[in-house]
Amino acid sequence: MARTREFDTEAAVTAAMEVFRHTGYGGTSVRDLAEAMEIGSGSLYAAFGNKEGLYLAALDLYRRRYALPFIEMLRAGGDARETVRAAFEAVIDEITCGPGQASCLIVGAAMERAHSDAQVAERLRTTTQLLELTLFEVIAEAQGRGEIAADQSAADLAAFLVMTFQGLRVMGAINADRAALTRAAEVALNCLR
C-alpha cells in the first residue's frame, strides 16, 4: 500500500523556491532542498520526481506569487505612466528592501537554465509574453486616450519596458543602489511621453 504524503506541499515548494532564489539551481543540492523543506530526500523524489521537477514546481509557484500579481497591478487601470512608475517602484523596493535580497527566480532561471532546459524556457517565455502583452494593452489604451504619444509602437515600448524591468533586477543583484535604479527607471519612463 502506498504511503500518503505527510507534508504540506505548498510550504515545501515555498521553502525550495527560496533556496533556489538564494543559491540558484546549480548551487543547490537535493540535500539542501530536503533540509529546507524539512522532508527526507525520498519524500522529495516521491513528490516531485527529481530536483528538476521541484525546480519547475518552484518556478510555477513563483509565477503565481510574484509575476501574476505584478501583472495584475499593471492591469489595475488609471494613468498609464503612473501605473508603470508604480511598477518600477515595486521592483526597486523588491530589489532594495526584499527579505534577504533574494534574486528574481525568473531572471535566475533565464541566466542559468533557459538555454539547456526546454521546460524552463517555455515557462519563462509564457510569463514574459504575458507581461509584455499586458504592457502593450496598457500603453495602447493610453495612446488611444491621448495620455501617451502614439508616435512610437505600443509593442516596441512594451518590449523595451519588459527589458528594463528585468535589467533592473539584474543590475540590482550586482549593486542594489536605490538612487541609481530609480534614475534608470525614470529614463525608461521618459519613453512614455
Side-chain angles (χ1 to χ4, degrees), residues 172-189:
I174 297 166
N175 181 13
D177 178 341
R178 184 178 193 86
L181 296 171
T182 301
R183 286 192 303 272
E186 285 297 323
V187 169
L189 280 167

Side-chain angles (χ1 to χ4, degrees), residues 88-115:
F88 276 126
E89 288 172 1
V91 168
I92 292 167
D93 284 346
E94 177 189 313
I95 293 166
T96 60
C97 305
Q101 296 180 345
S103 68
C104 171
L105 191 57
I106 291 171
V107 171
M111 300 307 294
E112 188 178 16
R113 304 284 305 151
H115 63 282

